[in-house]
Amino acid sequence: MASFDAIVIGAGQAGPSLANRLTGAGMSVAMIERHLFGGTCVNTGCMPTKTMVASAYAAHVARRAQDYGVVIDTPPRIDMNKVRDRAARVSANSRNGIESWLHGMPGCTVIKGHARFESSTVVNVDDQRLEAPRIFINVGGRASIPDFPGVNEVSYLTNTSILQLGSVPEHLVVVGGSYVGLEFAQMFRRFGAQVTVVEKGPRLVSREDEDVSTAIAGILQAEGIALRTGAECISLAPHAGGVEVHVDCREGSPSVRGSHVLLAVGRRPNTDDLGLDRAGVAVDSRGYIVVNDELQSSVSGIWAVGDCNGRGAFTHTAYNDYEIVAGNLLDGRHRRVSDRVPAYALYIDPPLGRTGMTEAQARASGKSLLIGTRPMTRVGRAIEKGETQGFMKVIVDAQTQRILGASILGTGGDEAIHGILDIMNAGVAYTTLRDAVPIHPTVSELIPTLLGELSPG
Ligand SMILES: Cc1cc2nc3c(=O)[nH]c(=O)nc-3n(C[C@H](O)[C@H](O)[C@H](O)COP(=O)(O)OP(=O)(O)OC[C@H]3O[C@@H](n4cnc5c(N)ncnc54)[C@H](O)[C@@H]3O)c2cc1C
């Protein structure tokens, strides 16, 4: 049995930084990783997808070049091998950096293999037994494969395998009209595939406000993406040219035939083969590790950070989990998950930047609201760039004058949202931002204007 001061399971977005802080505080740490260092974000999530979104954007702009007075005499072609290799290179650089950082970290022992709990203080990796009084679980999640009829009779793609494609699919059917699915849908449409999005719910990205969903649907349809929402009885079957996706039992064409199908219907935590029951660690009905506001599990000495605790589903929330745990354990701070202002982006083009409540959530809260909206057609920078799709919306609590939430769907929306996010984090009235002097010409410069034109909602 090898003894350590701490064991970290999973080298995702929280684990390596945590190992760095713990070893820096003089602890011996065993860092266990079963597959690729850097986890989902680096290898099969944020980094390769945003790299490929950039390739898709280049193709899109090249096709629109004449709108800008730029003459390209032949239509652009996509070299999918180069697109794929570029994304793989970006991932590999980051992965290798994390791996060599961990290997060179004084006090850190890197162990490759699948970790399983034997008890609340003992973890097995193959035939090794490791023990520690502190164990940090950072095992992340994976694509959830739905039990659609026929799913095992077809070959389907996930967010991992789609990154390996060396040619553009003739017709990609994306099952799942939410964050992951829509990024791939638009990207492959821009690479030249015919694309159909099949979504069970009545609208795309149903967690967002209806006006946001509608605008996103418009953006995608304008690029020729077919949408089949309200697809309540999805099933899959093989056909000569690929996969047939049955979408509806009642109306519309009953099925869509594609050469490839991507399943993007959600994620599940990697907690099912971790021996959590032997450690006594409680999970919820969907397998997420139950944690308190400081990310401690139901067992003293065991913490869960990142996607596996169900308290966030993003790289920045996983990283913030590390900061919370390290701050509380090593710096005598009292940081809590509930202090976090929610924020994220959807990386279609133009992107959606989001923070705080949706309008629907704000209305449901019963507060009296002030709401401002502005179409991107009235944002100078968007006009100048020739990218005027989308709109911005901000919701303010009329009584406290605090911003409750905002959506910026438009060019630069993923960056511009931070002005609002920062004001929310600062905990000051919206008037601070309304009266600020922004830089011209930017998308952000219209946020003070937006806040100066609020009306009761
Ligand atoms: C297609 C896609 C695009 C995304 N885009 C974005 C984005 O743009 N922005 C954003 O913020 N988020 C994005 N995300 C989400 C983001 O990738 C995750 O939220 C983030 O990676 C979570 O980090 P984590 O540390 O919790 O887990 P992970 O990064 O998943 O890391 C977990 C690690 O644990 C290892 N592991 C698991 N089980 C064991 C075990 N038993 N023993 C040893 N090791 C184990 C895994 O191999 C893995 O390396 C995206 C996700 C996907 C799928």
Side-chain angles (χ1 to χ4, degrees):
M1 174 97 76
S3 295
F4 296 89
D5 293 319
I7 294 172
V8 179
I9 305 175
Q13 292 303 306
S17 300
L18 201 47
N20 187 44
R21 281 299 317 274
L22 296 169
T23 53
M27 292 189 206
S28 59
V29 174
M31 171 86 237
I32 310 166
E33 171 54 52
R34 70 175 178 188
H35 190 37
L36 299 175
F37 288 81
T40 307
C41 179
V42 166
N43 297 290
T44 58
C46 339
M47 291 193 88
T49 56
K50 267 79 255 183
T51 307
M52 288 168 73
V53 163
S55 295
Y57 181 72
H60 180 65
V61 174
R63 282 192 199 102
R64 293 187 58 211
Q66 59 188 357
D67 294 354
Y68 299 92
V70 176
V71 179
I72 300 179
D73 289 322
T74 51
R77 287 182 305 108
I78 304 299
D79 183 336
M80 201 57 215
N81 282 313
K82 283 198 175 158
V83 170
R84 180 195 59 192
D85 293 349
R86 176 172 177 271
R89 245 187 344 267
V90 169
S91 291
N93 281 342
S94 178
R95 178 174 64 247
N96 296 339
I98 293 168
E99 187 165 0
S100 48
W101 181 41
L102 286 167
H103 278 293
M105 198 177 278
C108 181
T109 304
V110 177
I111 299 166
K112 281 284 302 200
H114 183 105
R116 287 184 190 87
F117 281 91
E118 181 183 310
S119 71
S120 63
T121 53
V122 177
V123 168
N124 295 334
V125 184
D126 301 323
D127 51 3
Q128 300 181 67
R129 294 176 77 222
L130 321 171
E131 71 166 356
R134 301 168 199 83
I135 301 180
F136 304 90
I137 307 171
N138 178 218
V139 292
R142 61 186 187 273
S144 153
I145 305 304
D147 56 358
F148 295 144
V151 73
N152 295 321
E153 284 144 46
V154 299
S155 91
Y156 55 78
L157 297 164
T158 64
N159 67 286
T160 301
S161 51
I162 198 169
L163 301 174
Q164 304 304 325
L165 291 180
S167 59
V168 178
E170 193 184 316
H171 183 175
L172 177 67
V173 182
V174 177
V175 180
S178 201
Y179 308 90
V180 170
L182 295 188
E183 289 181 15
F184 282 115
Q186 189 188 42
M187 177 199 303
F188 276 93
R189 179 68 192 139
R190 290 179 170 191
F191 292 153
Q194 192 185 332
V195 174
T196 304
V197 176
V198 173
E199 165 56 42
K200 199 165 137 202
R203 58 188 172 92
L204 301 179
V205 277
S206 55
R207 257 178 260 148
E208 304 301 336
D209 284 327
E210 216 163 321
D211 50 2
V212 173
S213 293
T214 305
I216 288 173
I219 289 166
L220 299 178
Q221 283 170 321
E223 293 190 24
I225 296 173
L227 304 179
R228 289 297 305 265
T229 49
E232 279 173 9
C233 54
I234 298 170
S235 64
L236 306 172
H239 79 88
V243 181
E244 181 155 13
V245 183
H246 295 272
V247 292
D248 208 317
C249 308
R250 292 163 303 136
E251 58 188 39
S253 163
S255 67
V256 181
R257 282 188 167 191
S259 58
H260 296 69
V261 62
L262 168 69
L263 298 181
V265 296
R267 310 277 302 164
R268 58 178 294 195
N270 290 326
T271 53
D272 43 342
D273 188 16
L274 201 50
L276 288 175
D277 49 337
R278 287 193 290 273
V281 172
V283 295
D284 70 13
S285 59
R286 297 192 303 147
Y288 289 99
I289 297 170
V290 177
V291 288
N292 65 14
D293 216 10
E294 296 182 9
L295 303 169
Q296 291 162 322
S297 76
S298 56
V299 174
S300 161
I302 301 181
W303 289 256
V305 286
D307 284 11
C308 68
N309 64 27
R311 302 293 291 268
F314 303 101
T315 286
H316 46 278
T317 50
Y319 190 78
N320 181 237
D321 282 1
Y322 135 68
E323 294 176 316
I324 290 170
V325 170
N328 295 347
L329 215 55
L330 303 174
D331 303 330
R333 298 188 62 184
H334 185 49
R335 297 191 69 173
R336 295 169 306 187
V337 183
S338 55
D339 290 335
R340 188 151 78 198
V341 177
Y344 53 88
L346 162 62
Y347 289 93
I348 56 163
D349 170 50
L352 168 69
R354 278 272 301 115
T355 179
M357 293 182 181
T358 59
E359 183 181 338
Q361 287 168 337
R363 288 192 187 286
S365 73
K367 299 177 197 293
S368 57
L369 306 178
L370 296 169
I371 299 180
T373 57
R374 171 172 283 258
M376 297 302 284
T377 49
R378 292 180 59 219
V379 174
R381 188 68 198 276
I383 296 166
E384 288 146 13
K385 290 172 80 176
E387 297 179 349
T388 53
Q389 290 164 309
F391 67 100
M392 47 173 84
K393 173 165 72 173
V394 63
I395 301 135
V396 172
D397 183 328
Q399 208 174 2
T400 63
Q401 300 214 325
R402 300 289 167 88
I403 296 179
L404 295 173
S407 306
I408 304 182
L409 173 65
T411 184
D414 53 332
E415 299 287 349
I417 196 73
H418 284 87
I420 295 175
L421 176 59
D422 291 345
I423 282 289
M424 292 173 75
N425 273 306
V428 297
Y430 80 92
T431 46
T432 306
L433 186 52
R434 182 196 63 192
D435 299 339
V437 182
I439 295 169
H440 172 78
T442 57
V443 172
S444 300
E445 79 176 316
L446 269 306
I447 294 172
T449 312
L450 183 70
L451 291 168
E453 297 172 350
L454 299 174
S455 44

